[in-house]
Amino acid sequence: MRNRNSTVAYVIFGLIAIGILASILSNPGTFIIPILVFGVIFFLYKFPPNRWRQPKRPSSSRFQKGKRRNATFRVIQGNKDGSDEPPKYH
């Protein structure tokens, strides 16, 4: 069973190859233009122009690692009365 499936696959791929080869020989322009476009896109992807690259900016002093000052927190007393609070048995 496996041999039959692989034989059918070889026949189909062979027919596809013959069809592509025949269409290239009869009208090569239909394959040259897409291949050139793909090649240009691939080349620009691998080697982008300098104007497309992001400039490397020096890191801001805000984001530099080093000694940091701890934030100071203050508690601001509010005017809330105790009747609005939920029960404390949670």
Side-chain angles (χ1 to χ4, degrees):
M1 187 73 172
R2 178 157 163 74
N3 191 16
R4 182 175 176 202
N5 289 339
S6 63
T7 305
V8 171
Y10 286 133
V11 169
I12 290 174
F13 286 131
L15 290 173
I16 291 172
I18 291 171
I20 290 173
L21 191 63
S23 63
I24 287 174
L25 293 176
S26 66
N27 193 1
T30 59
F31 284 95
I32 291 175
I33 293 172
I35 289 173
L36 287 176
V37 169
F38 179 74
V40 167
I41 290 172
F42 182 75
F43 182 76
L44 289 175
Y45 177 74
K46 286 303 247 186
F47 307 104
N50 289 334
R51 64 181 174 192
W52 290 355
R53 293 184 184 160
Q54 295 290 332
K56 294 185 178 180
R57 292 182 256 157
S59 62
S60 174
S61 63
R62 212 172 78 178
F63 299 114
Q64 288 180 351
K65 293 183 179 178
K67 188 174 182 180
R68 291 179 44 169
R69 188 181 72 134
N70 290 338
T72 56
F73 294 104
R74 285 190 313 167
V75 175
I76 300 173
Q77 296 298 327
N79 296 330
K80 187 175 180 183
D81 55 346
S83 64
D84 292 341
E85 292 185 19
K88 298 189 179 202
Y89 57 84
H90 284 67

